[in-house]
Amino acid sequence: MSDIFENISYKADEPLKKHTTMRVGGNAKYIFSPKNADEIKDIIDYCKDNEERYIIIGNGSNIIFSDEGYDGIVIKLNSLMNDYTVENDLIIAKAGCILSKLAAAARENSLTGMEFAAGIPGTLGGAVVMNAGAYGGEMKDIIEYADVLMEDGSVKRFSNSEMKFAYRESIINADEIVLSACIRLKKGNKEDIEALMNELKEKRTSKQPLEYPSSGSTFKRPEGYYAAKLIEDAGLKGYRVGGAMVSTKHSGFVINYDNASSADVVRLIDDVKKVVFEKFGVMLEPEVKIIR
Ligand SMILES: Cc1cc2nc3c(=O)[nH]c(=O)nc-3n(C[C@H](O)[C@H](O)[C@H](O)COP(=O)(O)OP(=O)(O)OC[C@H]3O[C@@H](n4cnc5c(N)ncnc54)[C@H](O)[C@@H]3O)c2cc1C
């Protein structure tokens, strides 16, 4: 059996706030950065043999951990798993690729369809699992297939329809790991692609509180409503719990305004849910994954 502590890059007692864009959370017992599927399997085998819990993360842009940290192994798919190739109108990429890098590759190759994703600060793996989307586009529109490490150690290729993409959801559950995916785009005009990316970037910077740590839109869009509008109409714009705050720039964002703890963020989320439900009868559901 391979010794994961000898062969795979890892850190012990590592602050999770360094690995999540909300910049909160205690320490992970270990955080591993595997280079390939075999290393991921070795880590999971170790976890099973030693009864350690484990979790996969990408760029940590839609996940927060508690202040107590994570008493187990965090498997981070990042820059050690970020190769990609462009073949005609397809981009085939490892799960750890950051979306902005893939969007830039699409632009350089005059491929259109991925402009919406250029400003989403996640990895391809995280975006596929979450069916990330923005400005009328979502991963569902561009994923041809995804290769997934199953719980039994096999690798299964899921076609787009097999992924069962829905609003911020896919069929992939917590025991399955997206290893890579194929993105299908269309031939386009490089200047037009660049212009659209710049326009969307401008929209993001003017509307979103990108100057503060956050996990993006904290709540899913409830059917028939906009979370940000409900929160604002409930009078919660600028509402604070400790160092966490409902952004005054965009009420759909909970931001780490001033050294927030994870507990501050979670309490703020709970308060917002409660007040919005009391005022409007709508139960907001967090989009951000809260790991306890
Ligand atoms: C400023 C800001 C703006 C944002 N804007 C948008 C937006 O416009 N649209 C949008 O949809 N989202 C947005 N987000 C949220 C976030 O970027 C996306 O949800 C993104 O897809 C998460 O990717 P990640 O790699 O960071 O995943 P993580 O946050 O690391 O993980 C998210 C979930 O996916 C799982 N996961 C991650 N990688 C894998 C994998 N390879 N295999 C299996 N499971 C995996 C994790 O276990 C976790 O449950 C924004 C976030 C921020 C901070």
Side-chain angles (χ1 to χ4, degrees):
M1 201 188 87
S2 84
D3 182 349
I4 58 166
F5 294 97
E6 293 264 308
N7 302 327
I8 308 174
S9 166
Y10 79 96
K11 286 181 176 159
D13 206 20
E14 174 71 359
L16 283 158
K17 57 173 68 172
K18 282 167 59 182
H19 300 274
T20 52
T21 56
M22 187 63 97
R23 302 271 177 259
V24 297
N27 293 1
K29 193 167 171 186
Y30 298 108
I31 180 158
F32 276 83
S33 299
K35 288 194 296 297
N36 51 45
D38 285 341
E39 291 192 351
I40 298 175
K41 278 195 223 171
D42 288 343
I43 299 166
I44 292 175
D45 285 347
Y46 171 89
C47 291
K48 287 184 175 158
D49 291 346
N50 293 277
E51 292 184 7
E52 289 275 17
R53 65 197 286 234
Y54 66 89
I55 186 169
I56 309 294
I57 64 166
N59 199 38
S61 63
N62 205 25
I63 193 165
I64 59 173
F65 291 89
S66 75
D67 296 314
E68 286 69 47
Y70 187 79
D71 187 23
I73 292 187
V74 175
I75 305 174
K76 179 166 175 165
L77 305 192
N78 58 0
S79 54
L80 297 184
M81 274 187 68
N82 75 350
D83 307 339
Y84 70 88
T85 54
V86 182
E87 290 167 21
N88 301 316
D89 55 357
L90 301 179
I91 301 182
I92 299 151
K94 297 267 170 64
C97 273
I98 292 286
L99 289 179
S100 57
K101 181 174 148 178
L102 294 176
R107 184 192 59 214
E108 289 316 300
N109 287 278
S110 303
L111 293 172
T112 183
M114 219 191 146
E115 294 87 339
F116 76 88
I120 301 177
T123 59
L124 177 62
V128 167
V129 171
M130 300 287 306
N131 187 23
Y135 305 113
E138 52 183 0
M139 297 309 286
K140 178 181 189 249
D141 305 332
I142 58 170
I143 292 298
E144 181 76 6
Y145 63 79
D147 286 338
V148 179
L149 181 62
M150 306 301 287
E151 216 196 332
D152 65 4
S154 64
V155 176
K156 182 174 171 202
R157 178 161 294 181
F158 286 75
S159 67
N160 181 301
S161 64
E162 286 169 337
M163 287 295 293
K164 301 219 182 315
F165 287 118
Y167 175 62
R168 301 295 169 267
E169 274 182 25
S170 68
I171 199 171
I172 305 304
N173 68 40
D175 297 317
E176 297 161 352
I177 300 165
V178 175
L179 297 172
S180 59
C182 174
I183 298 168
R184 182 181 288 280
L185 302 169
K186 289 198 173 76
K187 270 283 165 210
N189 172 285
K190 194 169 169 183
E191 282 73 43
D192 294 345
I193 295 167
E194 185 149 26
L196 180 54
M197 281 188 188
N198 287 340
E199 185 192 321
L200 298 182
K201 190 173 170 196
E202 171 54 32
K203 272 194 189 161
R204 266 186 199 272
T205 346
S206 64
K207 299 236 160 65
Q208 300 182 356
L210 302 182
E211 54 282 17
Y212 290 101
S214 80
S215 306
S217 294
T218 312
F219 299 97
K220 292 187 179 180
R221 193 178 55 237
E223 226 174 298
Y225 299 92
Y226 287 101
K229 173 130 183 25
L230 290 171
I231 296 167
E232 191 170 340
D233 290 351
L236 291 168
K237 197 174 195 165
Y239 174 70
R240 280 180 72 167
V241 173
M245 181 167 103
V246 173
S247 164
T248 51
K249 194 169 175 184
H250 187 316
S251 308
F253 277 58
V254 170
I255 57 173
N256 183 345
Y257 179 69
D258 182 18
N259 247 320
S261 64
S262 184
D264 293 342
V265 174
V266 172
R267 229 189 81 206
L268 182 75
I269 289 174
D270 287 345
D271 286 359
V272 168
K273 280 169 63 178
K274 186 165 172 276
V275 174
V276 166
F277 186 71
E278 277 167 9
K279 296 219 163 159
F280 306 112
V282 179
M283 185 52 83
L284 292 175
E285 190 193 332
E287 180 174 320
V288 55
K289 309 275 182 199
I290 301 168
I291 310 298
R292 294 167 207 269

